[in-house]
Amino acid sequence: KITFIMSFKKLIQFVFMLIFLLSVQHSVLAQSFQSKVSSSFSNGNFKELSKSFDKRVQLTISNRSEYYSNTQAEIILTDYLNQLGSKNFTVIRSGTAEAGSAEFVIGEVKSITKGIVKVYIYARKVADTTYIQEIRFE
């Protein structure tokens, strides 16, 4: 009876440790996506971020929403942020959605021409790869 209790305690400890390690791994992956988005917006270089673009990316700028190829989306983002005169990006919130199959980053771009512009980035996770599907500016 004592060995059964000891085995059960070890099983419970193992399960909790496994849950902890999976949650840490999940938050590290989410942080990686967030840091990639943050550094791309902060330095205005979308070359690295565009590697995470899906084949077609929905861009919403000034209430106009269009789908673009990943190459076009990179060019349009760079041009738009250059027009804004943006130099600073702050992450307001980030995380996962849809039971971990999607990630999002909500941030603010401080713009010389328009003040603060909110940015919403939505990405779908397939296996271990994150594909950005939508970027919206408000």
Side-chain angles (χ1 to χ4, degrees):
K1 191 174 186 178
I2 293 175
T3 56
F4 173 74
I5 293 172
M6 295 297 282
S7 297
F8 186 70
K9 283 184 178 180
K10 286 185 179 186
L11 178 64
I12 296 295
Q13 288 174 340
F14 175 75
V15 168
F16 280 117
M17 182 60 78
L18 185 61
I19 290 169
F20 172 75
L21 290 174
L22 288 174
S23 68
V24 168
Q25 177 190 11
H26 184 267
S27 68
V28 167
L29 290 174
Q31 253 181 340
S32 173
F33 175 67
Q34 174 188 328
S35 63
K36 186 186 286 189
V37 167
S38 184
S39 73
S40 294
F41 273 88
S42 293
N43 65 28
N45 183 356
F46 293 99
K47 186 60 101 182
E48 189 64 32
L49 187 65
S50 69
K51 293 176 185 176
S52 298
F53 286 176
D54 208 344
K55 291 178 184 176
R56 302 202 26 94
V57 179
Q58 181 180 6
L59 290 181
T60 303
I61 300 172
S62 302
N63 293 324
R64 183 172 179 219
S65 187
E66 297 284 335
Y67 285 89
Y68 299 97
S69 72
N70 48 17
T71 306
Q72 289 173 313
E74 177 190 347
I75 293 166
I76 291 167
L77 278 175
T78 302
D79 288 347
Y80 180 67
L81 288 172
N82 285 338
Q83 288 174 3
L84 288 177
S86 65
K87 297 294 177 203
N88 194 355
F89 179 79
T90 305
V91 173
I92 297 171
R93 187 171 187 178
S94 66
T96 59
E98 300 177 27
S101 65
E103 293 187 56
F104 68 90
V105 174
I106 300 170
E108 292 179 338
V109 173
K110 290 187 181 168
S111 161
I112 294 169
T113 60
K114 290 189 176 184
I116 293 177
V117 177
K118 282 211 177 196
V119 183
Y120 301 86
I121 299 107
Y122 176 82
R124 215 14 121 188
K125 287 178 65 176
V126 178
D128 287 336
T129 307
T130 303
Y131 296 101
I132 296 174
Q133 293 186 324
E134 179 182 3
I135 301 174
R136 182 174 35 138
F137 294 89
E138 290 182 353

